[in-house]
């Protein structure tokens, strides 16, 4: 995020987590890992959750697009605005205030196969904001190149048609990796890509966690997980879920 608005606590936590890390890249896209893990669990995908409401006894009722299910506990593993929408009937004012205050940066991604004759190894490149490039990163994984465009470029180009975005991003990638990919590719838009950890975000989260603990002590089996609770990374999303809890996870 903008260094003038960034949380110092977030920077120090990220620095401490990564200073001894070993650089590496996945041999296949991360989605394959998620699919492999999900195959071992009782997971239902492609189902829209409309809301969570009080059920019978101490449980909750999850209203889906096509059915309603009962749950002993629910974890809202979704972006803050979605958590506010889905859990609104069960939230208190302090929780609504915090969830409404979480700001996000947008992203647009473009993925395309790497040419068969391109001699490239799996790698991931992070790109400094100070330059003119619209990209936050470019990755080569599993024979696919994926470019991630960040704000303000992503927001300013959000209304462009997919073919125009693909052409624009492919041209930028061509300048970085000449001859590596052909045209076309798949464009995806993420209006809530990265939660912004602005100054004061961790203080607000501490208050949020205190309210959540109070509601849990009072018998409300609704919990939260997501990168906005820890760090704007995959690791942050995973570590945001505290051990020892079980429940239906909506993510």
């Amino acid at each position: 995020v903008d260094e003038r608005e960034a949380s110092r606590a977030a920077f120090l936590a990220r620095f401490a987590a990564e200073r001894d890390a070993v650089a590496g890249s996945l041999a296949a896209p991360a989605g394959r890992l998620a699919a492999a893990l999900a195959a071992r669990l009782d997971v239902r995908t492609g189902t829209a959750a409309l809301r969570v409401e009080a059920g019978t006894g101490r449980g909750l009722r999850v209203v889906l697009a096509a059915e309603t299910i009962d749950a002993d506990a629910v974890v809202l593993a979704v972006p803050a605005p979605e958590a506010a929408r889905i859990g609104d009937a069960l939230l208190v004012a302090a929780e609504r205030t915090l969830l409404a205050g979480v700001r996000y940066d947008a992203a647009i991604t473009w993925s395309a196969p790497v040419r068969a004759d391109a001699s490239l190894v799996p790698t991931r490149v992070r790109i400094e904001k100070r330059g003119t490039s619209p990209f936050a990163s470019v990755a080569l994984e599993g024979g696919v190149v994926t470019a991630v465009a960040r704000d303000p470029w992503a927001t300013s180009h959000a209304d462009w048609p997919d073919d125009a975005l693909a052409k624009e991003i492919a041209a930028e990638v061509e300048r970085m990796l000449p001859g590596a990919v052909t045209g076309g590719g798949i464009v995806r838009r993420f209006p809530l890509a990265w939660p912004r950890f602005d100054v004061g975000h961790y203080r607000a989260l501490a208050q949020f966690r205190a309210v959540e603990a109070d509601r849990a002590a009072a018998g409300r089996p609704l919990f939260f997980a997501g990168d906005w609770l820890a760090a704007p990374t995959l690791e942050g999303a995973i570590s945001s879920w505290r051990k020892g809890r079980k429940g239906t996870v909506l993510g």
Side-chain angles (χ1 to χ4, degrees), residues 107-161:
I108 295 174
T109 69
W110 175 81
S111 300
V114 176
R115 285 182 181 274
D117 58 349
S119 57
L120 298 170
V121 297
T123 187
R124 182 181 296 270
V125 180
R126 293 180 181 176
I127 301 172
E128 290 283 350
K129 279 190 173 183
R130 295 184 181 89
T132 59
S133 172
F135 299 141
S137 66
V138 176
L140 287 161
E141 295 172 340
V144 175
V145 59
T146 300
V148 181
R150 59 179 161 225
D151 268 340
W153 194 94
T155 295
S156 65
H157 290 73
D159 295 333
W160 282 33

Side-chain angles (χ1 to χ4, degrees), residues 225-241:
D227 52 6
W228 59 274
L229 282 165
T233 61
L234 179 60
E235 293 83 358
I238 294 171
S239 66
S240 69
W241 174 242

Side-chain angles (χ1 to χ4, degrees), residues 84-234:
R85 179 186 66 81
I86 297 172
D88 182 68
L90 303 174
L91 303 178
V92 298
E95 291 171 316
R96 293 190 184 96
T97 299
L98 183 281
L99 292 170
V102 178
R103 296 199 297 157
Y104 282 82
D105 278 348
I108 295 174
T109 69
W110 175 81
S111 300
V114 176
R115 285 182 181 274
D117 58 349
S119 57
L120 298 170
V121 297
T123 187
R124 182 181 296 270
V125 180
R126 293 180 181 176
I127 301 172
E128 290 283 350
K129 279 190 173 183
R130 295 184 181 89
T132 59
S133 172
F135 299 141
S137 66
V138 176
L140 287 161
E141 295 172 340
V144 175
V145 59
T146 300
V148 181
R150 59 179 161 225
D151 268 340
W153 194 94
T155 295
S156 65
H157 290 73
D159 295 333
W160 282 33
D162 284 359
D163 56 349
L165 281 172
K167 184 177 180 179
E168 185 82 5
I169 297 176
E172 288 285 341
V173 172
E174 175 65 21
R175 282 192 278 272
M176 299 178 63
L177 302 170
V181 297
T182 59
I186 299 174
V187 171
R188 295 184 175 90
R189 305 157 197 267
F190 300 90
L192 304 177
W194 294 292
R196 294 177 58 91
F197 279 71
D198 296 326
V199 173
H201 187 74
Y202 278 107
R203 288 194 296 273
L205 286 179
Q207 297 171 356
F208 180 82
R209 285 299 201 189
V211 175
E212 183 190 12
D214 175 76
R215 293 295 83 207
R220 187 189 72 178
L222 177 69
F223 308 100
F224 301 85
D227 52 6
W228 59 274
L229 282 165
T233 61
L234 179 60

Side-chain angles (χ1 to χ4, degrees), residues 13-121:
R14 182 79 175 267
F15 177 78
E18 296 187 357
R19 62 183 174 181
D20 296 323
V22 177
S25 297
L26 297 174
R32 294 187 188 177
L33 174 61
L37 294 174
R40 303 185 179 190
L41 303 172
D42 181 13
V43 177
R44 185 183 312 183
T45 60
T47 301
L50 302 181
R51 63 185 180 276
V52 177
E53 56 191 31
T56 57
R58 295 173 61 88
L60 298 175
R61 180 176 295 111
V62 182
V63 181
L64 305 176
E67 63 179 311
T68 299
I69 61 175
D70 293 323
D72 295 325
V74 171
V75 182
L76 289 178
V78 293
E82 280 296 285
R85 179 186 66 81
I86 297 172
D88 182 68
L90 303 174
L91 303 178
V92 298
E95 291 171 316
R96 293 190 184 96
T97 299
L98 183 281
L99 292 170
V102 178
R103 296 199 297 157
Y104 282 82
D105 278 348
I108 295 174
T109 69
W110 175 81
S111 300
V114 176
R115 285 182 181 274
D117 58 349
S119 57
L120 298 170
V121 297

